[in-house]
Amino acid sequence: MPWNKEDYPDSLKNFTAPVRNKAVEIANALLEDGYEEGRAIAIATAQAKEWGENHDKQIRKKNH
């Protein structure tokens, strides 16, 4: 099931939009390559965090 900006795994809800969107993009590509959903989410989460750090992005939403 491909994800998008409005419909994404719960595990990504605390990430900022740029990092979450990158994770969704990566996860969808992994699904297309035949990865199992849970594995795709795990890999995409790790890669999106790394992408955010390399691009000086805030990774997680700030708590109020």
Side-chain angles (χ1 to χ4, degrees), residues 11-23 44-63:
S11 60
L12 302 177
K13 70 180 181 198
N14 291 323
F15 288 102
T16 59
V19 175
R20 182 177 58 245
N21 292 340
K22 179 57 78 173
T45 300
Q47 290 184 350
K49 282 184 196 175
E50 185 176 330
W51 173 84
E53 290 164 359
N54 290 337
H55 290 84
D56 294 324
K57 303 281 185 194
Q58 180 180 324
I59 306 299
R60 297 193 180 275
K61 294 178 184 176
K62 292 194 186 302
N63 293 333

Side-chain angles (χ1 to χ4, degrees), residues 1 3 7-8 10 12 14 25 27 29 35 37 41 44 48 50 56 59 62:
M1 170 182 93
W3 295 289
D7 181 27
Y8 48 82
D10 283 343
L12 302 177
N14 291 323
E25 176 186 324
Y35 281 77
E37 193 172 286
I41 293 168
E50 185 176 330
D56 294 324
I59 306 299
K62 292 194 186 302

